[in-house]
């Protein structure tokens, strides 16, 4: 088995007496989609905040490409190759779709200190931005104001910005959130193809999408991983059924 | 409705036409008013880079205006008294040369903005407003107690400083200098806004978390904006001191910081011509209404209220029919 791209080792984080993350060790291997599911309050958001660098863990380590990134800032983690998308779209709403993608391209370049030449005349920058927009199917909407986009388009743009960074691993926080059935299906198809570019650690509530996409699933309950396995393993697991899934699955 | 670019040409042409007309009909005081408007506009263009692009509500921008003013005052004072300026063990000659004074005013203001920004940008929102206000008050009271340079009474400079090839004592020529610097600052502002830096700063104002996630540091972007902003406002301070041939601690007063914000809000926050329109209106009201009643600020308050309630994009927003950025 090859080395994991992204891994956590015995990660723990408490808020007072509450163990929001309790000894969590998961890994993400090349080419896979690893889904993390769990009931509300299981600690999914806390876990994702620690991996992305918003929240420091009390104990444990996080590794990206074999390097310890536990103490690095969000900014440095992004530069090291971690591409994150947000549960609630975090986009510059007053700007155009293209400008949002340009921000990603600028981040990929890692140097925003250019004060004179117009950004849109910078062909290297706009090519990166446009390629990402084309990949998610938003090229037509490039000049629309982001605030005027539909919810589904915003989710697509959210992914497009992450794509401009050409990350080594994606960290996606509920990319299906708020999408209707057809939107969810479209996004599922897209993420399915994306795993070849970089593996995806996917936190998601939409079970249809998770079962359709995931190579492996980890189930998080009360801050602990109670099971990790393939879709079939998880469906069969008695503890998972009892804790979370309900008998009809 | 008018597009942004023709509006810029129109406003600047009007600002240029007024003193030329005043020259023709021999009304030198009107030229002084236009110069005052151009200088205040320059100070506000500086603030607008921090406020409009960076979303930094600085209630201490008078610090840079004052630093620019005192840079002029101190250098000119040593030149007119023929005493060298002793600082850090160095003995520096004073100067009456505007280009040198401008350079010093800009650099010292930029340095101060870097220091103040470094500390203030650890906070945001109301705390940022309060900490910049606190810095403003520190400088204000320091200037009051700085007896070497006039303390509370300020410093008078008897002859306006010189610029090669220009007779700065002629009002219209001094106006031309101020107007040229204003145009240069506006051009710089427009370039910054369109450049990759402006794009990133614009996003840092709206969604700092997103900017971090693409691997850029939003605080560093805002700090650079704050430094550029402070430097331009500092330059305006040096011109203002030269206009009045007088520097005093009131250049550091928080009221001045507030007035700069007010005139930007009236003109249009984050809009290229917002500060210019705001400053022209401010100076006009100050002169006309100020002649009628000393409580002319009441009218300014009414205008501000109307703008805030009914025209969030300021006058530029009204004229162009486009709402500006939200700060």
């Amino acid at each position: 088995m090859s080395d994991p791209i992204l891994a956590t080792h015995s990660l723990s984080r408490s808020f007072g007496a509450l163990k929001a993350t309790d000894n969590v060790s998961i890994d993400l291997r090349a080419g896979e989609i690893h889904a993390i599911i769990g009931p509300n309050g299981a600690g999914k958001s806390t876990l994702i905040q620690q991996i992305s660098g918003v929240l420091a863990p009390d104990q444990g380590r996080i590794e990206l490409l074999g390097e310890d990134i536990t103490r690095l800032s969000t900014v440095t983690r992004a530069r090291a190759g971690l591409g994150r998308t947000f549960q609630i779209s975090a986009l510059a709403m007053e700007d155009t779709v293209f400008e949002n993608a340009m921000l990603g391209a600028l981040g990929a370049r890692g140097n925003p200190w250019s004060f004179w030449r117009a950004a849109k005349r910078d062909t290297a920058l706009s090519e990166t931005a446009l390629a990402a927009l084309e990949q998610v199917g938003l090229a037509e909407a490039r000049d629309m104001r982001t605030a005027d986009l539909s919810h589904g388009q915003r989710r697509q743009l959210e992914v497009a910005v992450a794509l401009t960074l050409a990350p080594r691993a994606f960290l996606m926080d509920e990319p299906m959130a708020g999408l209707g059935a057809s939107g969810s299906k479209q996004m599922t198809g897209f993420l399915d193809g994306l795993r070849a570019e970089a593996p995806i650690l996917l936190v998601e509530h939409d079970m249809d999408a998770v079962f359709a996409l995931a190579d492996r699933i980890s189930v998080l309950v009360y801050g602990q991983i109670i099971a990790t396995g393939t879709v079939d393993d998880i469906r069969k697991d008695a503890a998972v059924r009892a804790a979370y899934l309900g008998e009809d699955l | 409705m008018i597009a942004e670019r023709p509006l810029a040409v129109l406003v600047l042409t009007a600002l240029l036409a007024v003193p030329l007309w005043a020259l023709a009909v021999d009304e030198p005081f009107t030229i002084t008013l236009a110069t005052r408007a151009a200088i205040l506009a320059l100070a506000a263009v500086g603030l607008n880079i921090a406020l409009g692009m960076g979303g930094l509500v600085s209630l201490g921008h008078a610090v840079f205006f004052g630093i620019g003013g005192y840079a002029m005052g101190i250098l000119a004072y040593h030149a007119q008294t023929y005493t060298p300026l002793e600082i850090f063990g160095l003995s520096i000659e004073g100067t009456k040369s505007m280009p040198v004074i401008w350079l010093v005013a800009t650099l010292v203001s930029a340095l101060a903005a870097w220091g103040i920004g470094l500390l203030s940008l650890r906070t945001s929102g109301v705390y940022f407003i309060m900490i910049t206000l606190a810095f403003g008050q520190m400088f204000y009271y320091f200037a009051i107690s700085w007896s070497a340079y006039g303390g509370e009474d300020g410093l008078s400079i008897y002859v306006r400083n010189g610029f090669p090839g220009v007779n700065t004592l002629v009002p219209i020529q001094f106006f031309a200098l101020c107007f040229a610097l204003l145009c240069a600052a506006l051009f710089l502002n427009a370039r910054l806004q369109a450049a990759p830096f402006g794009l990133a700063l614009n996003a840092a104002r709206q969604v700092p978390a997103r900017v971090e996630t693409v691997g850029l540091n939003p605080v560093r972007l805002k700090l650079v904006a704050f430094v550029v902003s402070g430097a331009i406002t500092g330059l305006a301070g040096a011109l203002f001191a030269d206009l009045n041939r007088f520097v005093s601690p009131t250049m550091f007063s928080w009221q001045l910081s507030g007035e700069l914000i007010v005139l930007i809000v009236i003109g249009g926050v984050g809009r290229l011509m917002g500060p210019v329109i705001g400053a022209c209106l401010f100076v006009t009201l100050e002169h006309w209404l100020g002649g009628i009643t000393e409580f002319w600020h009441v009218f300014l308050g009414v205008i501000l209220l109307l703008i805030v309630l009914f025209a969030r994009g300021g006058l530029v927003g009204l004229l162009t029919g486009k709402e500006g950025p939200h700060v």
Side-chain angles (χ1 to χ4, degrees):
Chain A
M1 194 181 73
S2 62
D3 289 334
I5 306 286
L6 179 69
T8 70
H9 301 282
S10 316
L11 213 58
S12 296
R13 167 79 201 206
S14 303
F15 297 102
L18 176 74
K19 286 185 171 172
T21 305
D22 189 0
N23 204 20
V24 169
S25 299
I26 49 170
D27 63 356
L28 181 67
R29 300 172 198 148
E32 77 167 347
I33 293 181
H34 186 161
I36 296 175
I37 60 173
N40 284 328
K44 302 189 295 291
S45 296
T46 308
L47 180 61
I48 230 168
Q49 284 183 331
Q50 289 170 82
I51 298 175
S52 64
V54 178
L55 205 63
D58 295 332
Q59 273 164 28
R61 263 179 315 124
I62 305 164
E63 284 178 2
L64 179 66
L65 303 164
E67 301 281 327
D68 189 341
I69 61 165
T70 320
R71 302 280 154 225
L72 300 185
S73 67
T74 309
V75 174
T76 335
R77 283 179 209 210
R79 291 208 177 159
L82 191 62
R84 185 196 177 180
T85 70
F86 291 84
Q87 180 183 358
I88 296 163
S89 298
L91 300 162
M93 289 295 169
E94 294 168 14
D95 296 350
T96 64
V97 169
F98 183 62
E99 283 166 337
N100 271 284
M102 287 284 273
L103 177 71
L106 204 54
R109 178 184 286 177
N111 175 14
W113 311 116
S114 160
F115 300 92
W116 201 249
R117 219 162 72 104
K120 60 184 177 193
R121 297 239 173 88
D122 192 325
T123 42
L125 221 50
S126 41
E127 272 167 20
T128 312
L130 261 186
L133 289 178
E134 264 162 23
Q135 209 177 336
V136 301
L138 271 182
E140 309 261 292
R142 56 172 285 184
D143 292 324
M144 277 177 75
R145 234 169 73 106
T146 306
D148 298 332
L149 292 183
S150 71
H151 179 77
Q153 286 173 313
R154 286 185 200 169
R155 303 307 297 168
Q156 288 172 304
L157 180 54
E158 184 80 24
V159 175
V161 177
L163 279 175
T164 56
L165 300 173
R168 303 298 301 273
F170 287 102
L171 183 60
M172 295 197 179
D173 195 356
E174 300 200 27
M176 315 288 173
L179 294 181
S182 71
S184 184
K185 198 169 253 177
Q186 199 189 344
M187 182 64 87
T188 305
F190 178 73
L191 294 186
D192 195 18
L194 194 60
R195 78 181 101 193
E197 276 181 40
I200 306 171
L201 191 64
L202 178 72
V203 171
E204 186 52 67
H205 260 306
D206 182 334
M207 284 305 139
D208 291 337
V210 167
F211 286 140
L213 282 171
D215 297 294
R216 287 188 299 153
I217 300 176
S218 290
V219 184
L220 194 64
V221 178
Y222 294 123
Q224 289 178 318
I225 299 286
I226 61 165
T228 297
T230 62
V231 173
D232 283 340
D233 295 339
I234 295 299
R235 278 185 200 267
K236 283 180 205 144
D237 193 296
V240 174
R241 282 169 171 255
Y244 179 47
L245 288 176
E247 288 304 314
D248 57 326
L249 278 153
Chain B
M1 296 300 145
I2 178 169
E4 202 121 8
R5 199 174 287 228
L7 179 70
V9 174
L10 198 73
V11 170
L12 289 174
T13 311
L15 180 55
L16 188 60
V18 168
L20 287 177
W21 165 81
L23 184 70
V25 299
D26 196 26
E27 287 256 17
F29 185 65
T30 306
I31 301 177
T32 303
L33 279 184
T35 312
R36 189 177 153 80
I39 293 171
L40 273 185
L42 180 64
V45 165
L47 175 56
N48 200 26
I49 289 175
L51 179 68
M53 288 167 74
L56 303 169
V57 185
S58 164
L59 196 48
H61 249 52
V63 165
F64 312 119
F65 200 65
I67 286 175
Y70 272 85
M72 174 280 187
I74 291 169
L75 287 172
Y77 170 78
H78 284 285
Q80 79 184 6
T81 56
Y82 301 104
T83 51
L85 167 60
E86 309 282 351
I87 186 171
F88 305 132
L90 294 170
S91 180
I92 303 167
E93 294 293 316
T95 177
K96 296 285 284 177
S97 155
M98 278 192 192
V100 177
I101 288 169
W102 294 349
L103 188 71
V104 172
T106 311
L107 289 179
V108 177
S109 304
L111 193 68
W114 182 76
I116 292 175
L118 210 57
L119 291 166
S120 307
L121 281 167
R122 301 169 73 96
T123 65
S124 61
V126 176
Y127 300 102
F128 182 83
I129 299 177
M130 287 300 125
I131 197 168
T132 49
L133 173 65
F135 274 114
Q137 294 302 86
M138 276 168 54
F139 277 79
Y140 176 71
Y141 285 107
F142 177 76
I144 281 185
S145 57
W146 203 8
S147 54
Y149 296 109
E152 203 161 0
D153 299 330
L155 263 181
S156 281
I157 303 303
Y158 303 119
V159 180
R160 189 171 283 158
N161 296 303
F163 189 92
V166 178
N167 183 354
T168 54
L169 294 173
V170 178
I172 193 74
Q173 298 201 21
F174 182 60
F175 170 82
L177 280 180
C178 298
F179 185 77
L181 286 176
L182 173 64
C183 290
L186 285 168
F187 185 60
L188 174 73
N189 187 350
R191 295 309 299 228
L192 280 182
Q193 218 154 1
F197 169 74
L199 186 107
L201 179 63
N202 197 23
R205 183 190 77 244
Q206 299 173 60
V207 271
R210 158 62 63 204
V211 176
E212 284 185 0
T213 309
V214 302
L216 301 176
N217 188 329
V219 174
R220 227 175 271 173
L221 289 162
K222 288 178 182 174
L223 181 61
V224 171
F226 197 70
V227 169
V228 174
S229 167
I232 294 175
T233 303
L235 177 61
L239 292 174
F240 191 75
D242 238 327
L243 173 68
N244 302 323
R245 278 168 269 182
F246 176 65
V247 194
S248 81
T250 49
M251 283 187 77
F252 283 116
S253 71
W254 70 267
Q255 287 92 336
L256 188 98
S257 302
E259 280 169 359
L260 289 178
I261 295 179
V262 166
L263 65 86
I264 291 177
V265 170
I266 290 176
V269 177
R271 310 302 285 265
L272 188 61
M273 294 313 285
V276 184
I277 294 180
C280 292
L281 187 75
F282 184 87
V283 170
T284 311
L285 288 177
E286 183 185 46
H287 175 60
W288 277 351
L289 294 175
I292 299 167
T293 164
E294 62 179 298
F295 303 114
W296 70 275
H297 280 97
V298 172
F299 298 99
L300 188 71
V302 172
I303 292 176
L304 182 64
L305 259 179
L306 290 174
I307 293 277
V308 170
L309 289 175
F310 302 111
R312 290 291 297 273
L315 290 174
V316 175
L318 274 182
L319 293 167
T320 58
K322 262 191 263 168
E323 218 177 303
H326 289 258
V327 174

